[in-house]
Amino acid sequence: MLPTYLLSLREGLEAALIIGIVLGAVNKIRRKDLAPAVWLGTLSAVIVSILTAIVLTSFGMSLEESAEQIFEGITMLAAAGILTWMIFWMGKQARFIKNELEAGVNKAAASAGKTAVFWLAFVAVVREGVELAIFITAAFFADRAIQVNGTIIQISAGTILGLGTAALLSYTLFATTVRLDLRKFFQVTGILLILFAAGLFAHGIHEFIEVGWIHAIIEHVWDLNRIIPEESLVGQLLTNLFGYNSSPDLTEVIAYLAFIVTVAFFWTKDNAVPAKAKAESHA
């Protein structure tokens, strides 16, 4: 439940900030008549995102044996890739989003009016929603081996709580003088989600090993079932958060470590640039 909570919180907060910026731009140009188009575009994006999650999960569950493993592996690798890209993209583009959205609102209001504003809100929000749908699908398949019904309940609860927290947090930011250090927030959640993405990546590699697409090199490098069983509370928490496998293949271990090292390298490099620029500005 915790990974889906973090994912939903982050994606929900990003979507809420986008909606807030668009509504603020609409008020700024004194075109409150465009606000319903913003909300309609947002609602349509939410519906599309929910349908995407249902279709992907239902399709995956309808498959059997090797086809199911291939689909799950592809979904997990895709989710890991999109999640990592999203974290880096948000870190680089966060400072420009407000200006870009406000410019988009001004252009839309001057041209096609309500229709253009609808599509502006729809496209901005549906990107976050479809990403979340893919992550939820991947999280479901990563968890499903434990207990299907329990997994559905936990993922649903995590999603609802995450989106609810994001809505409350966003309302607090826009309606009060409270200010959240969003850069710090996205950095902390980014680190946790990178670890989650590494787990999804390793899970995807495991599925391809099971289907015979990738060689295992050495099976069962270690066995921690006696210490931390995957079915235990701690084991489930580690599995959900970090892709814990009590008895992994060497290929999985290499894939997990390679993912962490590669992402950490670029993460450090990207975060060093703003810090250097900030230091130079104070010099």
Side-chain angles (χ1 to χ4, degrees):
M1 185 175 81
L2 188 55
T4 50
Y5 173 79
L6 289 173
L7 286 165
S8 301
L9 173 59
R10 185 182 173 105
E11 292 293 316
L13 184 58
E14 288 181 17
L17 290 174
I18 289 171
I19 296 168
I21 292 170
V22 173
L23 289 173
V26 166
N27 290 328
K28 191 174 182 180
I29 62 174
R30 298 179 181 179
R31 289 293 305 274
K32 292 184 178 181
D33 58 299
L34 297 176
V38 175
W39 288 114
L40 184 59
T42 301
L43 179 61
S44 300
V46 170
I47 293 172
V48 170
S49 302
I50 293 172
L51 291 176
T52 301
I54 293 173
V55 169
L56 286 174
T57 305
S58 300
F59 178 72
M61 293 181 68
S62 68
L63 301 174
E64 296 180 357
E65 298 178 353
S66 60
E68 178 185 6
Q69 293 172 325
I70 292 171
F71 176 80
E72 291 179 9
I74 291 174
T75 302
M76 291 176 190
L77 292 182
I82 294 172
L83 180 55
T84 305
W85 171 82
M86 175 198 75
I87 292 168
F88 280 92
W89 181 87
M90 192 62 185
K92 290 181 178 180
Q93 301 298 322
R95 72 188 73 175
F96 307 117
I97 288 178
K98 184 177 180 180
N99 291 335
E100 290 177 357
L101 286 173
E102 287 182 345
V105 170
N106 291 333
K107 184 177 179 181
S111 57
K114 292 183 180 181
T115 302
V117 170
F118 166 87
W119 285 111
L120 177 68
F122 175 84
V123 172
V125 175
V126 81
R127 182 181 66 84
E128 309 293 339
V130 170
E131 285 177 359
L132 182 58
I134 295 173
F135 304 149
I136 289 173
T137 303
F140 171 78
F141 288 123
D143 259 355
R144 190 170 58 158
I146 299 173
Q147 183 182 0
V148 175
N149 293 333
T151 299
I152 293 174
I153 294 172
Q154 288 182 22
I155 288 177
S156 299
T159 302
I160 293 170
L161 288 174
L163 293 176
T165 304
L168 181 61
L169 191 58
S170 301
Y171 174 80
T172 303
L173 291 173
F174 284 111
T176 69
T177 57
V178 175
R179 290 293 177 264
L180 173 69
D181 188 344
L182 292 176
R183 179 176 175 79
K184 184 66 68 176
F185 171 82
F186 286 124
Q187 281 182 341
V188 173
T189 56
I191 292 172
L192 292 174
L193 293 180
I194 284 173
L195 294 174
F196 176 59
L200 287 178
F201 185 76
H203 269 299
I205 296 298
H206 175 76
E207 295 298 330
F208 290 151
I209 291 173
E210 290 290 318
V211 83
W213 283 14
I214 298 177
H215 184 57
I217 304 179
I218 298 176
E219 294 184 357
H220 313 304
V221 181
W222 58 71
D223 191 347
L224 300 178
N225 261 310
R226 293 182 179 179
I227 303 173
I228 308 177
E230 291 181 27
E231 295 78 14
S232 66
L233 181 61
V234 176
Q236 289 185 37
L237 181 63
L238 292 174
T239 299
N240 293 336
L241 273 179
F242 310 122
Y244 170 71
N245 186 342
S246 60
S247 182
D249 300 310
L250 181 57
T251 307
E252 286 181 67
V253 176
I254 293 173
Y256 188 93
L257 293 177
F259 185 94
I260 291 292
V261 170
T262 302
V263 173
F265 171 77
F266 287 105
W267 174 274
T268 304
K269 186 177 179 181
D270 276 10
N271 281 276
V273 174
K276 183 179 179 181
K278 186 176 181 180
E280 290 176 350
S281 66
H282 286 290

